[in-house]
Amino acid sequence: MATETFESTSPATGEVLGTFPKSDAADVERAVETARAAFETWRLVPAPRRGEILYRFAQILEREKAALTDLMTHEMGKVKAEAGGDVQEAIDMTYYMAGEGRRLWGQTTPSELPDKFNMSVRVPIGVVGAITPWNFPIAIPSWKLAPALICGNTVVLKPAEDTPLLADRFVELFDEAGLPAGVVNIVHGYGDTAGEALVRHPDVPVITFTGSRETGVAVTKAAADRLKHVHLELGGKNAIIVLDDADLDLAVEGIVWSAFGTSGQRCTAASRVIAHETIYDALQSRLVARAESMRLGPGWEDDTDVGPVINRAAIEKIHSYTKIGQDEGARLLTGGEIATEGDLDKGFFYRPTIFGDVEAGMRIAQEEIFGPTTALIKVGDFDEAIRVANGIRFGLSSSIFTRDVNKAFRAMRDLQTGITYINAGTTGAEVHLPFGGTKDTGNGHREAGQTALDVFTEWKSIYVDYSGRLQRAQIDTAS
Ligand code: NAD
């Protein structure tokens, strides 16, 4: 057992919320061994029965929603409404995947030979290693665990080191739902120890990872020697396009919600606003006024608009990008400061920050800052807007505000992202559609919806010959 420990602290106050083991390779070994043993029975539990356990788990999550929401405002920092949304997403995902217990459809097809039956079925793979970030501390574990479990896999979860308490609470609730012991296991601690040991373990054939691009590359390399299935959900640099015919009031609402919600710490946050030159000035002044009216504070207080960012390293990184933007020649319109008034100095609070006169190639318009900072980029027409929106390495979410249906459809076709919104911000995914991105945001897989099942199953094609004689495909079919 790991003897070293680490603390979880509130980003709003610095209060210590709990102490957790810094799991090491030996802990990972034990967790994987337990999961491997449990797999032999769990894979044989009929999928509808597995679904019933998930239904009960979803009901328990509903009952615990208020408590988990409150804990999230303390441990992760997001404001109450968003924390409730995070838990709700887990509830929705669990109900949705529970229903898959009575679907998990394959195909039946005609055979090219007489008296022969063909079908394909999904089969579980084994022990899934799930590695998750802190920014959706209940939702993201549910996106991975619910589909992994319904398909008949067992799991070792390594949650982010910033939100271990929420992860423990989440996993504990599976017991009450009746999940057999050993099907879900948790290890705590840091990426370079617990995380890497999980990725390298020979008995973990599937790694599902959400986090930064850099870590995603490291995970891929570490998993390569054993040719593991690796599912990656990585960063974003998402843009909202506002055309000259847009409903500006609506666009402002969408931008404020997408840029400053969760203090900009969403993979789908709008960190770029691409505005048509005719509405640029009007949009800029409205956005600045809105940003300056936002109240910073702890997430659990009802009138807080913007909570803290996750930790010291995050606020230092965010602040360093303010300097980078200024050095690059962008105009700091508002924010750009660590907030310290009153009790805010006990936590990590950063003022909503807007840069104007941003060139599309500047670092603040290209790199993921993961904080409440957004960059306004002026464009002359629709085609330039699409070019700028696509001119980055990431491809997670995009949005366009326009009343022109032709331009909306061209944007749906041409924006190179996994998710596109029309007349809404860049956030707000629903659990029954694929979630994920193109380019450096991932490696071609998708979370959520039916597509998630592809991460957690292998296809098996089965041919049943009831002719009583040897029939050779491609040979005996020739007439
Ligand atoms: P991170 O990459 O630092 O950490 C994510 C997880 O990986 C943590 O649990 C960490 O301990 C672990 N880890 C770190 N190094 C590891 C290693 N070498 N081997 C194995 N595991 C390792 O990311 P973060 O700061 O927690 O999260 C923020 C990032 O996540 C942002 O880039 C954001 O865009 C991205 N994100 C993406 C999505 C998506 O669905 N596309 C959703 C949420 C967050």
Side-chain angles (χ1 to χ4, degrees):
M1 278 280 278
T3 47
E4 285 186 65
T5 58
F6 69 101
E7 289 176 340
S8 174
T9 55
S10 171
T13 60
E15 180 196 353
V16 176
L17 301 173
T19 303
F20 299 85
K22 261 192 204 169
S23 304
D24 56 19
D27 297 316
V28 170
E29 178 67 42
R30 251 191 312 278
V32 172
E33 183 48 41
T34 306
R36 210 176 58 80
F39 177 64
E40 292 310 323
T41 44
W42 180 243
R43 74 185 177 89
L44 299 177
V45 173
R49 298 282 93 79
R50 298 197 292 254
E52 285 162 16
I53 294 173
L54 286 187
Y55 271 120
R56 280 200 293 279
F57 183 64
Q59 286 168 335
I60 293 167
L61 283 177
E62 280 182 316
R63 189 193 71 204
E64 295 298 315
K65 182 176 172 180
L68 289 169
T69 298
D70 183 61
L71 178 58
M72 199 181 300
T73 63
H74 285 81
E75 192 182 37
M76 183 274 160
K78 64 175 81 173
V79 301
K80 219 185 281 182
E82 294 171 12
D86 192 311
V87 181
Q88 188 60 44
E89 204 162 296
I91 295 167
D92 295 346
M93 180 61 83
T94 309
Y95 275 127
Y96 176 78
M97 286 297 168
E100 278 304 321
R102 287 191 183 269
R103 288 187 294 268
L104 286 179
W105 285 317
Q107 301 99 29
T108 60
T109 72
S111 168
E112 64 192 44
L113 292 161
D115 298 329
K116 195 175 169 197
F117 182 81
N118 295 350
M119 63 185 154
S120 64
V121 296
R122 291 183 181 278
V123 292
I125 306 177
V127 179
V128 170
I131 301 177
T132 53
W134 44 266
N135 66 334
F136 282 88
I138 296 290
I140 292 181
S142 83
W143 295 358
K144 301 187 180 308
L145 268 58
L149 295 175
I150 199 65
C151 292
N153 304 283
T154 56
V155 178
V156 176
L157 170 66
K158 206 303 277 173
E161 49 273 32
D162 287 293
T163 49
L165 185 52
L166 282 158
D168 265 358
R169 290 278 157 84
F170 179 72
V171 165
E172 279 161 19
L173 298 175
F174 277 111
D175 282 344
E176 191 186 336
L179 192 74
V183 173
V184 169
N185 308 273
I186 188 165
V187 291
H188 283 297
Y190 289 81
D192 54 2
T193 48
E196 196 171 329
L198 188 56
V199 172
R200 290 192 183 278
H201 199 291
D203 291 331
V204 181
V206 183
I207 299 294
T208 172
F209 170 83
T210 299
S212 63
R213 179 190 180 279
E214 292 64 33
T215 311
V217 170
V219 164
T220 307
K221 286 182 180 165
D225 284 345
R226 295 191 186 269
L227 298 172
K228 296 188 178 204
H229 297 205
V230 177
H231 158 231
L232 302 174
E233 296 290 342
L234 309 176
K237 188 71 187 173
N238 314 291
I240 293 180
I241 297 173
V242 186
L243 295 184
D244 48 352
D245 65 351
D247 176 340
L248 271 200
D249 293 334
L250 186 61
V252 168
E253 290 307 312
I255 294 166
V256 168
W257 174 239
S258 304
F260 305 131
T262 318
S263 307
Q265 304 168 111
R266 295 184 188 135
C267 49
T268 52
S271 49
R272 298 182 297 155
V273 176
I274 300 169
H276 192 277
E277 59 195 10
T278 56
I279 49 89
Y280 181 92
D281 290 341
L283 185 67
Q284 170 179 304
S285 53
R286 286 195 211 192
L287 286 174
V288 168
R290 280 297 300 276
E292 290 179 350
S293 73
M294 298 184 96
R295 182 184 169 273
L296 276 66
W300 58 86
E301 288 182 1
D302 284 330
D303 55 351
T304 296
D305 298 309
V306 181
V309 299
I310 190 70
N311 55 31
R312 184 171 306 284
I315 205 163
E316 284 171 0
K317 177 180 171 193
I318 293 161
H319 196 46
S320 77
Y321 272 97
T322 294
K323 168 117 183 32
I324 289 168
Q326 288 172 310
D327 290 348
E328 286 178 309
R331 199 148 60 87
L332 181 62
L333 301 171
T334 186
E337 287 174 345
I338 296 172
T340 53
E341 65 269 21
D343 283 343
L344 296 187
D345 67 346
K346 296 194 177 119
F348 306 111
F349 291 90
Y350 205 76
R351 286 198 202 292
T353 299
I354 304 177
F355 274 102
D357 298 339
V358 177
E359 299 293 334
M362 288 179 178
R363 286 183 63 193
I364 56 166
Q366 290 287 325
E367 297 172 16
E368 189 180 42
I369 301 172
F370 225 55
T373 300
T374 200
L376 303 188
I377 304 169
K378 193 186 288 182
V379 291
D381 60 25
F382 172 83
D383 289 331
E384 187 183 357
I386 298 287
R387 228 177 13 255
V388 169
N390 288 339
I392 45 155
R393 74 195 313 182
F394 295 111
L396 185 51
S397 184
S398 57
S399 134
I400 185 165
F401 284 85
T402 179
R403 291 181 169 110
D404 182 334
V405 69
N406 296 347
K407 288 188 176 134
F409 267 87
R410 284 172 59 201
M412 286 183 237
R413 183 192 62 196
D414 293 338
L415 286 167
Q416 296 163 351
T417 51
I419 306 165
T420 292
Y421 293 88
I422 307 299
N423 292 324
T426 46
T427 69
E430 299 178 31
V431 302
H432 47 295
L433 287 171
F435 181 93
T438 62
K439 301 196 271 187
D440 281 13
T441 294
N443 59 349
H445 296 285
R446 289 292 183 273
E447 207 136 45
Q450 298 249 318
T451 44
L453 305 175
D454 292 334
V455 172
F456 299 106
T457 52
E458 295 270 21
W459 281 111
K460 179 182 278 187
S461 299
I462 300 174
Y463 302 92
V464 184
D465 192 320
Y466 54 97
S467 69
R469 60 186 185 280
L470 181 68
Q471 301 194 86
R472 298 169 301 174
Q474 289 91 42
I475 297 172
D476 293 336
T477 41
S479 54

